[in-house]
Amino acid sequence: MKETFKIVNYDRKDSGKGNIEFLNEAEAKKVYDFHKSFPVYTETPLVQLSELAKEIGVAEVFIKDESYRFGLNAFKVLGGSYAMGRYIADRLGESIENLTADKMTSAEVKEKLGDVTFTSATDGNHGRGVAWTAEQLNQKSIIYMPEGTAPERLERIIAHGSEASIVPMNYDEAVRLADKKAKEVGGVIVQDTAWEGYEEIPTWIMQGYMTMGYEIAQQMSELKEEQPTHIFLQAGVGSMAGAMTGFFANYYSENQPIITIIEPEKANCIFQTAEARDGKLHFVTGKMDTIMAGLACGEPNQIGWDVLNDYADAFISCPDYVAADGMRALAAPQGADTKVVSGESGAGPIGCMINVITRAELAEMKESLKIDENSRLLFISTEGDTDRENYMNTVWYGKDSRFY
Ligand SMILES: Cc1ncc(COP(=O)(O)O)c(C=O)c1O
């Protein structure tokens, strides 16, 4: 397969302007307060990479470092924990505003709920968040991981007391298995994507991700920084990208930054859906052997897509080596810039944009995104070195799809 960069530019003006009320600041504050009640909570850093900005000729680069999230090395626990919180609040007939982590994990609540089995499918990060939350709740979790999952990711989920296994199928098929299992055991599937008839929990998961946006908005104002002109979001099923797009479209409604969605070309279902723009979701099937394991999803989340369709400005499909470029650029920062340990799915967008901004043959793409010396770029490094072996191979030994 020839590796290529492709872009679809949207004209936001002709969009239907869908509903993003569920991703507004007031909802985000509720989510943020819920997460803040966990003893492990600390705000993750918003790192300013001014030297990198100089190097690539833009005004500023910011990257949110989610490797510090809850000691779990990725942002994903924000979604699973909030959805499980909302589920418990509903079962107790309580409002989420009254359900602190303390209360949710108490023996009294466990007794009221009885035994609950939570199931899920995951490339690693989401399942770890679900298993971690189930562990806090003293409940059981069953997690399925697609073929090709790094064994260390499985081990980390098992370490949270989960019944986890790698199954001989891709991510989307593993999701269907987790759904079947939940039905069989009378459990609850906590999945980070939606399908017809299964919308409530994925909506809560998307809302859960807003803690990142809420923190970024606060951190930007603490730094007395002007708002970003551009935001870049990586997508697997597009729940995270949809949540962040909706949040920032609300938060910066007076002057929405240019929002670009980035995917590996081997799993570019959102890109294909945007390219076709025919009102249908477009799927990628089969083995999606991208190194960006967290983005190896072939079926977009309809709820996330509806937000992206109305509020995103561009969609990029890019080769795998950009993730390696991004990991290295963040691991070996310019001058006084802070180092960020970023895994494949975390570093994809920044690696992609370093290529787009600095390579002459991609100049048209840069221009279509209106990137120039006044641009202030915001990225989210959604994971740290969650696949340590591949991280070392990439950062130390220079492994890269360009050379294989
Ligand atoms: C590290 C990381 N980044 C980004 C994503 C993409 O999120 P979504 O599937 O909501 O698009 C994932 C998904 O698992 C992930 O693990």
Side-chain angles (χ1 to χ4, degrees):
M1 179 181 186
K2 194 173 172 293
E3 297 182 324
T4 50
F5 288 81
K6 286 192 212 154
I7 190 164
V8 171
N9 295 100
Y10 256 29
D11 179 0
R12 223 193 296 137
K13 285 196 284 299
D14 64 25
S15 84
K17 291 284 173 217
N19 170 29
I20 47 169
E21 275 301 293
F22 73 108
L23 299 168
N24 69 21
E25 197 183 342
E27 287 297 326
K29 171 82 168 64
K30 278 190 221 165
V31 179
Y32 171 75
D33 287 341
F34 171 77
H35 285 135
K36 235 178 131 179
S37 77
F38 281 85
V40 291
Y41 173 86
T42 50
E43 182 182 85
T44 60
L46 180 67
V47 178
Q48 198 162 356
L49 297 172
S50 305
E51 298 285 338
L52 173 66
K54 259 187 236 153
E55 184 70 30
I56 63 174
V58 296
E60 204 50 89
V61 173
F62 298 94
I63 188 160
K64 178 83 167 153
D65 183 357
E66 286 296 308
S67 69
Y68 289 92
R69 186 65 69 189
F70 280 27
L72 295 174
N73 219 3
F75 79 101
K76 276 266 160 179
V77 65
L78 295 174
S81 61
Y82 186 66
M84 288 157 84
R86 288 290 300 256
Y87 166 81
I88 291 168
D90 269 15
R91 288 265 318 257
L92 299 173
E94 283 268 11
S95 144
I96 189 71
E97 280 133 303
N98 297 327
L99 189 70
T100 57
D102 226 18
K103 188 164 169 189
M104 173 168 132
T105 58
S106 65
E108 191 195 331
V109 165
K110 163 86 206 219
E111 204 178 299
K112 273 193 191 153
L113 291 177
D115 289 336
V116 184
T117 300
F118 295 98
T119 75
S120 195
T122 184
D123 51 77
N125 295 320
H126 168 68
R128 193 174 179 199
V130 171
W132 180 87
T133 311
E135 186 183 29
Q136 311 300 307
L137 297 170
N138 203 12
Q139 299 285 10
K140 186 173 166 184
S141 66
I142 301 176
I143 311 283
Y144 297 118
M145 309 183 78
E147 204 167 17
T149 296
E152 67 176 281
R153 290 193 166 130
L154 171 67
E155 291 310 316
R156 271 196 225 104
I157 293 179
I158 291 174
H160 293 297
S162 179
E163 198 181 301
S165 56
I166 297 177
V167 287
M169 54 189 78
N170 73 17
Y171 168 81
D172 306 287
E173 290 155 352
V175 169
R176 288 185 263 281
L177 182 63
D179 186 36
K180 192 167 152 252
K181 188 73 182 176
K183 288 183 178 123
E184 253 169 51
V185 302
V188 181
I189 176 168
V190 182
Q191 202 54 57
D192 50 352
T193 192
W195 55 86
E196 224 181 306
Y198 182 71
E199 278 114 9
E200 195 169 48
I201 286 180
T203 300
W204 292 336
I205 288 180
M206 284 178 64
Q207 289 181 311
Y209 298 153
M210 284 197 292
T211 287
M212 289 193 291
Y214 194 82
E215 286 178 0
I216 291 171
Q218 285 184 327
Q219 288 167 315
M220 281 284 190
S221 71
E222 277 158 23
L223 289 168
K224 303 210 175 357
E225 286 290 338
E226 281 168 44
Q227 70 165 77
T229 58
H230 294 76
I231 301 176
F232 301 93
L233 300 164
Q234 52 276 66
V237 298
S239 299
M240 188 284 287
M244 289 299 97
T245 297
F247 174 78
F248 286 120
N250 275 313
Y251 192 80
Y252 295 126
S253 62
E254 301 282 297
N255 183 17
Q256 191 193 302
I258 293 175
I259 297 180
T260 303
I261 311 306
I262 299 186
E263 285 171 292
E265 61 187 336
K266 291 175 183 166
N268 60 3
C269 57
I270 306 270
F271 173 86
Q272 288 191 25
T273 300
E275 191 175 40
R277 212 175 189 180
D278 59 3
K280 292 188 214 124
L281 296 178
H282 288 256
F283 293 176
V284 173
T285 53
K287 208 168 162 191
M288 289 164 271
D289 63 338
T290 165
I291 63 164
M292 294 173 249
L295 313 185
C297 313
E299 302 182 14
N301 171 5
Q302 183 75 55
I303 305 168
W305 168 251
D306 288 344
V307 176
L308 298 178
N309 193 27
D310 283 337
Y311 295 92
D313 297 275
F315 300 83
I316 293 182
S317 165
C318 61
D320 254 33
Y321 64 76
V322 301
D325 288 345
M327 289 159 78
R328 288 191 286 261
L330 294 170
Q334 304 284 313
D337 279 354
T338 304
K339 171 180 159 178
V340 176
V341 176
S342 183
E344 300 78 5
S345 300
I350 200 162
C352 174
M353 292 318 297
I354 290 173
N355 275 277
V356 169
I357 294 169
T358 60
R359 283 169 59 182
E361 69 269 33
L362 298 173
E364 224 173 275
M365 205 177 269
K366 174 181 170 186
E367 208 171 298
S368 76
L369 293 170
K370 303 186 177 68
I371 296 174
D372 61 23
E373 66 283 3
N374 299 315
S375 299
R376 306 163 57 73
L377 318 183
L378 171 67
F379 296 90
I380 303 178
S381 173
T382 47
E383 67 176 349
D385 53 349
T386 56
D387 180 346
R388 184 80 191 144
E389 192 182 334
N390 197 54
Y391 183 84
M392 293 305 279
N393 279 337
T394 305
V395 172
W396 272 27
Y397 303 112
K399 187 176 162 196
D400 190 315
S401 67
R402 262 179 298 228
F403 313 126
Y404 286 83

